[in-house]
């Protein structure tokens, strides 16, 4: 009965998804294609979207003299990151259906694999966006308007790989937006610190998504998809040094403008060691390793966040 109502067809997991994930073992068959559309079996996406929000919230707590970030804001950002990352991925899959069907890693995604129809995907996207909207209206008016403004960047991102070698830059614009949101949620305005945090987040995003894009560079070349992985090529490590160094400097400047102390800078410094470890071990021709290094950026998020939170707590003692 469920298959007749929902009309999905489970043809199996997406090729680069986490193996034996609860999406594939616990959900009923009709629901799995929707979960795959939202990338629930690949949590790294919403984690990377969430980290700038949490960093901004923690840095705002430091600037405000609070002992910790607002727990309600943290919960809202978590729900919003999962919902809007899912909606964004569904939108991206709708836009990229023909390209995904030609790329080895992506042809098993729900739409090109025939697990769901385009109409079903659009409805599911709307439902996820509704959840994101309900989260957004819990904030102050300034933050609501700021959040709505991000939709423009989200809307244009999937098309950038067709027109520019820098689609990762536009991903950075979208995925780093939370660096503005956390600060705005607490103060109802923006200052220098969140803009510096946002700029650093953009460079960080370009870096980690360049590593990710090296998985698809051969297929991308065949179908005409552009990326910084193809642009940088054998110069990728040198480019990552520039990108990750710039991100580190901008994060340190953001902390300085927020009047942060040594624990915040220690977190940034330890995070920088992790980023440069990625560069040292990177093999751009090893797709499996590129994926692992890409996923390791969640650990980087924890390191920076821990430093900011510890700074907020210690500064109140």
């Amino acid at each position: 009965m469920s298959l007749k109502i929902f009309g999905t067809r489970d043809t199996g997991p997406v090729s680069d998804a986490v193996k034996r994930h609860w999406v594939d073992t616990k959900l009923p068959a009709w629901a799995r294609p929707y979960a795959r559309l939202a990338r629930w079996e690949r949590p790294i996406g919403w984690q990377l979207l969430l980290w700038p929000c949490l960093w901004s919230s923690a840095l705002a707590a430091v600037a405000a003299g609070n002992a910790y970030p607002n727990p309600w804001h943290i919960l809202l950002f978590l729900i919003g990151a999962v919902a809007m990352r899912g909606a964004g991925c569904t939108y991206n899959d709708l836009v990229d259906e023909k390209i995904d069907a030609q790329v080895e890693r992506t042809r098993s995604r729900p739409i090109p694999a025939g697990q769901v129809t385009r109409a079903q995907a659009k409805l599911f996207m709307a439902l996820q966006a509704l959840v994101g909207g309900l989260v957004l209206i819990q904030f102050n008016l300034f933050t609501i308007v700021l959040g709505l403004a991000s939709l423009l960047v989200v809307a244009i991102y999937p098309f950038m790989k067709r027109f520019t070698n820098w689609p990762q830059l536009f991903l950075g614009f979208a995925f780093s937006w939370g660096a503005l949101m956390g600060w705005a949620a607490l103060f109802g305005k923006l200052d220098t610190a969140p803009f510096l945090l946002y700029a650093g987040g953009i460079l960080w995003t370009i870096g980690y998504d360049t590593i990710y894009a090296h998985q698809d560079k051969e297929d991308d070349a065949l179908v005409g998809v552009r990326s910084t992985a193809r642009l940088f090529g054998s110069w990728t490590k040198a480019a990552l040094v520039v990108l990750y160094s710039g991100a580190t400097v901008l994060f340190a400047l953001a902390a300085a403008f927020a009047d942060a102390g040594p624990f915040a800078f220690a977190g940034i410094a330890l995070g920088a060691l992790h980023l440069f470890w990625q560069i040292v071990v990177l093999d751009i021709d090893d797709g499996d390793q590129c994926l692992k290094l890409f996923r390791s950026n969640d650990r980087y998020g924890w390191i920076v966040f821990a430093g900011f939170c510890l700074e907020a707590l210690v500064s109140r003692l």
Side-chain angles (χ1 to χ4, degrees):
M1 176 63 73
S2 292
L3 286 176
K4 291 182 180 179
I5 293 174
F6 293 96
T8 60
R9 184 168 65 93
D10 183 11
T11 60
V14 178
S15 63
D16 65 341
V18 177
K19 308 305 180 187
R20 300 296 298 169
H21 194 270
W22 61 265
V23 163
D24 301 311
T25 60
K26 303 297 184 183
L27 288 183
W30 67 263
R32 292 170 197 160
Y34 292 109
R36 292 169 189 145
L37 271 178
R39 311 286 200 274
W40 291 347
E41 84 282 32
R42 280 175 281 180
I44 185 60
W46 64 256
Q47 290 164 352
L48 294 175
L49 183 62
L50 178 63
W51 281 124
C53 301
L54 300 193
W55 295 341
S56 186
S57 293
L59 200 59
V62 171
N66 298 334
Y68 46 82
N70 186 306
W72 175 237
H73 291 174
I74 297 297
L75 177 61
L76 290 174
F77 285 133
L78 172 60
I79 297 171
V82 175
M84 293 311 296
R85 187 268 185 137
C89 286
T90 306
Y91 171 68
N92 187 80
D93 285 5
L94 285 163
V95 172
D96 284 348
E97 179 183 3
K98 292 182 179 179
I99 292 176
D100 286 346
Q102 301 176 68
V103 175
E104 177 68 27
R105 187 179 60 84
T106 58
R107 61 170 55 107
S108 56
R109 286 178 175 176
I111 298 177
Q115 295 186 16
V116 295
T117 66
R118 290 182 63 84
Q120 289 170 325
K122 289 176 182 178
L123 177 60
F124 184 54
M125 178 181 67
L127 291 173
Q128 293 175 95
L130 176 61
V131 173
L134 292 174
V135 167
L136 185 60
I137 62 174
Q138 306 304 311
F139 293 107
N140 58 60
L141 180 60
F142 182 85
T143 306
I144 293 172
V145 174
L146 187 64
L148 291 174
S150 71
L151 296 179
L152 176 61
V153 180
V154 173
I156 66 174
Y157 162 67
F159 300 98
M160 291 300 102
K161 64 174 70 75
R162 295 161 171 83
F163 305 112
T164 175
N165 292 322
W166 291 88
Q168 281 70 26
L169 172 62
F170 291 87
L171 181 68
F173 291 154
F175 259 57
S176 301
W177 201 266
L180 306 176
M181 297 287 287
W183 190 280
L186 184 63
F187 292 113
K189 63 176 184 177
L190 292 174
D191 297 294
T192 303
F195 282 115
L196 290 167
L197 194 67
Y198 179 57
I202 293 170
L203 296 184
W204 176 55
T205 304
I206 297 171
Y208 69 62
D209 203 58
T210 296
I211 294 174
Y212 184 81
H214 270 288
Q215 297 175 93
D216 300 328
K217 57 191 174 188
E218 288 83 7
D219 286 334
D220 286 349
L222 291 174
V223 300
V225 169
R226 303 179 182 185
S227 72
T228 48
R230 292 185 60 200
L231 175 66
F232 298 151
S234 61
W235 292 92
T236 291
K237 286 196 175 189
L240 289 174
V241 169
V242 174
L243 290 165
Y244 282 163
S245 296
T248 300
V249 169
L250 288 165
F251 290 155
L253 288 172
F257 274 90
D259 294 324
F263 291 100
F265 293 104
I268 294 169
L270 288 174
L273 291 178
H274 177 81
L275 294 179
F276 284 94
W277 164 79
Q278 292 181 30
I279 299 171
V280 170
V281 303
L282 174 64
D283 178 355
I284 61 173
D285 295 317
D286 185 342
D288 291 338
Q289 190 221 39
C290 287
L291 181 60
K292 290 178 181 177
L293 291 178
F294 165 74
R295 288 174 174 166
S296 77
N297 281 280
D298 183 50
R299 294 200 293 273
Y300 174 76
W302 277 112
I303 294 168
V304 175
F305 183 60
F308 287 172
C309 287
L310 187 59
E311 178 61 38
L313 179 62
V314 170
S315 65
R316 286 294 303 272
L317 297 180

